[in-house]
Structure formats: structure tokens, C-alpha cells
Amino acid sequence: MNIRLSNGKVIPMEMHKVRIVQKTSLPPIARRLTAMEEAGYNTFLLRTRDIFLDMLTDSGTNAMSDNQLAAMMVADDAYAGCESFYKLADAVKEVLGFGYTIPVHQGRAAEHLLAKVFVKPGDVVIMNYHFTTTKAHFVLAGATVLELCTDEVLNTQSTNLFKGNMDLKKVEDAIRKYGAAKVPFIRMEATTNLVGGQPFSLQNLRDVKKLASSYNIPLVFDGSLISENAYFIKQREKGYESKSIQEILQEMMSQVDILYLSGRKSTSVRGGLMATNSKKYYDEILAWLPVYEGFATYGGMSTKEIEAMAVGLREMTDTNVAAASPEFIQYFVNRLVENGVPVVTPAGGLACHVDAKRFVPHLPQAEYPAGALAAAIYIASGVRSMERGTISNDRDLDGNEVYADLELARLAIPRRVYTMSHIEYVVDRLTWLYQHRDLIKGLKFVEEPKVLRFFFGRLRALDNWSANLAQAFEKDFGPDF
Ligand SMILES: Cc1ncc(COP(=O)(O)O)c(C=O)c1O
């Protein structure tokens, strides 16, 4: 909850108490430089022991509640007919209004099933913006992915509050061009991940649904960050200020044919689900569930996580829970803007996104500015961020680079995990880094996987820049920090 202090300053207040903690430590600068070299300048390949604050992702890293942990203790491990599943199905019905629930082991498993059941070679899947695993599944199934967000999404200094909105004209033009038969579904992603965690409005969702229905195309909703999008609607969309998160969620879901989500985010567990009110879609998807995931009442998830997900679904309807990360991110973004550090505005859900094109404008995209910036952030702070730029795009079939629309270093704020002093520390080190940005140079691949290369690829620093950066840091802060 945002609280106004007597001096007028607004701060995000933690509406929870910290009762269990995990120790962390700050490796000194020399170790950070070595660790980055060992990790091949890929933050995915760092080990936890070398990380001070892990802002790689909010996926599976949110703090669970006492009630979620308690629910895990009463899980029913039955292979079939598991009672825990029925609790999840009840929570889905109550919170989201769907009568059919399919558990899956995580979000990409749902994407795999969607691709298997609905996508044919030559199809065109329309979405506001892609997510890495989503695109991989649909492209592997032979489809082309079209991202038809409004152009404003590429403006990293925008004041548009709904940059995740779909551009309806572009959608209609695409359907006319390719023919509705080639479009298996339209996918709307809540709090659009790869473009700065930007939400869409309920009005836009309604308009997309109306358009899709007029061509008989189903609407698929990626709800991995569903409660955060609902929170933004409450904060930013006229007419929703006094609606509850649950009312907004239900209004959103009334527009949706198939919902899928990674439970690792809004519901603070490790798992995923699909849900629908269509018996036809349910039967088509269910047929493949035992082949790829597991029986209908566990779908590849641990039953403990299923219990915790049922609780997490209800808890995410609490405004203070839905607001926890967005308000911290807003504060984080505001502090960086005050210090002149280029970040994506408006603040979104999931993370504070540093704009590498403006932070290191001297680096061409061929030298991976966002990847270099993520490596530099780690060296200067021990904070792990994630590259969300050209490295996160795979090459095309002819081996050419696919330059990303945005080059971002993403500092995720897992829900309820970090405190104000953590945020202030990162703000300080990012500000120092910005003042020393000329020291940051590019990266070059030394090992480059063909699919989802950002996970396991290894790179090297051009012109030994990382050692120069570490030296400058040590000069200002000493060898111990
Ligand atoms: C929007 C979105 N969709 C799908 C996924 C994939 O989910 P998972 O990591 O659980 O497989 C993610 C993961 O971060 C995501 O953010």
C-alpha cells in the first residue's frame, strides 16, 4: 500500500511481516568479476552463492504466505482423484469463473499443449507481444507469430498507461490478409513481459474479443501476471477505481475463451494451469495431458504446489497482494528517473527495466547492449538482472540476427522478497554505473545454442572492459564491496 509521509513523500509500505528469512551475502568486486567470466557473461549461468540480490525473475521466486505453506502440509498425493486438485478447481471457479481446470507443470507446458492442439504449419498466431517460450512453441509448430501491440510500446519514455494494448486496426488487417482460417487464436498477454511489464486496459480486451468473435477466432489469455494487470486497471482505467481486484478479474475472464498461466508469478507457486468454460476445448486439451504432463488431477505439478496455488489464487485478489510488486517497481523507477538513469516508463509490473539503448548508446545491437549492461550491473553491485534484448531473440532460419525492438536489462521485483534498503542500494549502484557507462563495451558469443540461446549461451567481453569496470569500482568503493 502506498503511504504518504508527513513530509509529502509517498513510499510503498510492506503489508506483511517477514517471519522466515534467507541469508544472502555480497561477494567482493574481485569475485564478482571472476564469477561473471565463469558464467560466460550470461547472468543465467551465475550460481546463487555469487549473487547478493537476485532480480533475474519473479518466476517461482515470490515469497509464499503462511497460509500457502500451511496448505502444502495437507496435500493429497493420490495419483487420480486427488482432493488437492478439486480445491484448485473450486478456487478457479470462484476467482476466475471457469468450470474446467487443467493443471500443468508450468506456463510453457500450457503453451506446448496449445501449440499441439490448435496450431498447424502455415498458421499465424496474433498476439499483443510474444514471450520467449510462447514464440518458441508456436514457431516450432510451424506458425508465424505476429505482434500487434500499439506502436507506443516501443517508446521507452512514454506516459501511455496501457502500452500492452493491442492495435485493433493491425489485428483486423492481419486477419483479412491471412484469412481467419489461418488464425487459430488471438493471444493477449497480461502485464506484457518483454516490453517492460506493460498492462492492457479492460476496454482494449473487450474490443479485441469483439473483433475476434466477429471472425469466429477464440481469445486465449496468458494470465501469468494477471493480478498485476488487474491492479493496473484499478489504478489507471476510468470507471474501475472502486472495483475490487476480484470484480476486475471476473470481468476480464468473461471475455476469454481459454486462460493459461504460469503459476510461478501472480499465484506465487511453482506450477501452471489452463481453464475454460468450453467442454470442447477442455476435451481437446485433456486428451494430450497424460501424454505430456500427467493425469487430469495433477498435470505434472506436485500436489503440495496445487494446494498452495488454490490459496495463492484467492490471495492475489487482495489489493495489497496484487499491488506489492507494482508499487515497489514504481518507487524504484521514480528513484532512477530522479537520478537521470534511463528506464522504461511508465513503471510496469514484474520489474524495473533499464533501457540499454539509452544507457549505453555507444554499443551497436550486434554487440548486445542489454547483455553487456546486465553483466555490468552484476559486476558493479552483485545484483542479478536478465537480458531482455537481442540475445533473447534467436537467429532466423538463415542465421541472421533478429535485432530486438527494445534492449532492456530487467531487474525483477519478486513479490514481498526485497526491502526498501535493497532498492536504495540498487538505485545507488545503477547511478554509479551510469556515471561510468563509457567503460561498458560489447559482448561476443563463444558458444551459441540454436533455440532459446539466452538460457545457456556463453559470451566474452570485448576489449577486456569488465576488468576496467571492476578496477574503477574498486577505486571508488574499495576491495570489500
Ligand atoms: C507471460 C509469460 N508467459 C509464459 C511464461 C512461461 O511460464 P513458465 O516459466 O512457468 O514456463 C512466462 C514465464 O515467465 C511468462 O512471463
Side-chain angles (χ1 to χ4, degrees), residues 116-189:
K116 181 83 198 160
V117 174
F118 298 104
V119 182
K120 299 183 303 306
D123 278 355
V124 174
V125 183
I126 293 174
M127 52 187 75
N128 49 350
Y129 209 79
H130 82 277
F131 181 69
T132 52
T133 56
T134 324
K135 184 166 178 177
H137 279 294
F138 300 158
V139 169
L140 286 170
T144 304
V145 164
L146 291 186
E147 293 152 321
L148 304 181
C149 246
T150 52
D151 293 339
E152 189 63 11
V153 85
L154 302 184
N155 177 3
T156 57
Q157 293 169 279
S158 171
T159 51
N160 185 318
L161 297 176
F162 291 108
K163 287 201 286 180
N165 277 357
M166 194 85 99
D167 184 320
L168 296 160
K169 163 130 186 14
K170 287 187 202 164
V171 176
E172 183 138 34
D173 288 351
I175 298 172
R176 290 222 176 109
K177 177 169 172 198
Y178 296 99
K182 288 257 174 246
V183 183
F185 52 81
I186 294 178
R187 170 181 173 274
M188 282 293 268
E189 180 183 312

Side-chain angles (χ1 to χ4, degrees), residues 166-395:
M166 194 85 99
D167 184 320
L168 296 160
K169 163 130 186 14
K170 287 187 202 164
V171 176
E172 183 138 34
D173 288 351
I175 298 172
R176 290 222 176 109
K177 177 169 172 198
Y178 296 99
K182 288 257 174 246
V183 183
F185 52 81
I186 294 178
R187 170 181 173 274
M188 282 293 268
E189 180 183 312
T191 321
T192 323
N193 190 329
L194 292 191
V195 284
Q198 301 296 315
F200 51 72
S201 67
L202 232 163
Q203 185 57 48
N204 187 252
L205 182 66
R206 255 194 246 102
D207 292 342
V208 173
K209 169 65 180 170
K210 197 163 158 214
L211 182 58
S213 298
S214 69
Y215 287 94
N216 227 359
I217 298 171
L219 182 64
V220 169
F221 187 106
D222 180 337
S224 305
L225 280 157
I226 189 172
S227 59
E228 283 73 8
N229 205 121
Y231 169 75
F232 286 123
I233 288 170
K234 184 173 169 62
Q235 289 298 306
R236 300 178 179 180
E237 190 164 351
K238 208 164 170 301
Y240 289 93
E241 307 82 357
S242 55
K243 295 236 170 173
S244 68
I245 298 289
Q246 165 122 16
E247 284 169 328
I248 296 172
L249 287 171
Q250 297 218 339
E251 199 171 328
M252 285 161 98
M253 292 305 100
S254 70
Q255 305 299 310
V256 169
D257 294 295
I258 301 173
L259 163 76
Y260 80 91
L261 55 83
S262 166
R264 301 172 66 88
K265 296 173 165 247
S266 283
T267 66
S268 295
V269 295
R270 287 137 297 260
L273 63 76
M274 304 178 80
T276 181
N277 277 324
S278 156
K279 172 92 168 72
K280 177 174 166 292
Y281 295 145
Y282 172 73
D283 287 343
E284 284 173 338
I285 297 166
L286 189 70
W288 290 102
L289 194 70
V291 180
Y292 294 114
E293 296 295 304
F295 191 72
T297 54
Y298 76 95
M301 277 178 80
S302 138
T303 54
K304 289 189 169 48
E305 301 285 344
I306 293 179
E307 286 276 353
M309 196 185 218
V311 176
L313 271 172
R314 291 196 173 95
E315 287 183 346
M316 75 180 190
T317 66
D318 176 338
T319 310
N320 287 330
V321 173
S325 291
E327 288 178 354
F328 256 71
I329 294 162
Q330 177 76 67
Y331 178 85
F332 194 0
V333 165
N334 289 351
R335 292 283 294 113
L336 287 168
V337 169
E338 271 167 33
N339 290 0
V341 179
V343 286
V344 173
T345 60
L350 112 111
C352 166
H353 294 80
V354 185
D355 183 358
K357 280 188 185 168
R358 286 189 284 141
F359 199 110
V360 279
H362 51 283
L363 294 189
Q365 282 190 279
E367 293 181 9
Y368 311 125
L373 181 55
I377 291 171
Y378 172 74
I379 292 168
S381 64
V383 175
R384 171 155 78 162
S385 61
M386 188 191 289
E387 191 270 358
R388 294 279 77 160
T390 295
I391 296 177
S392 295
N393 282 352
D394 290 332
R395 288 178 190 266

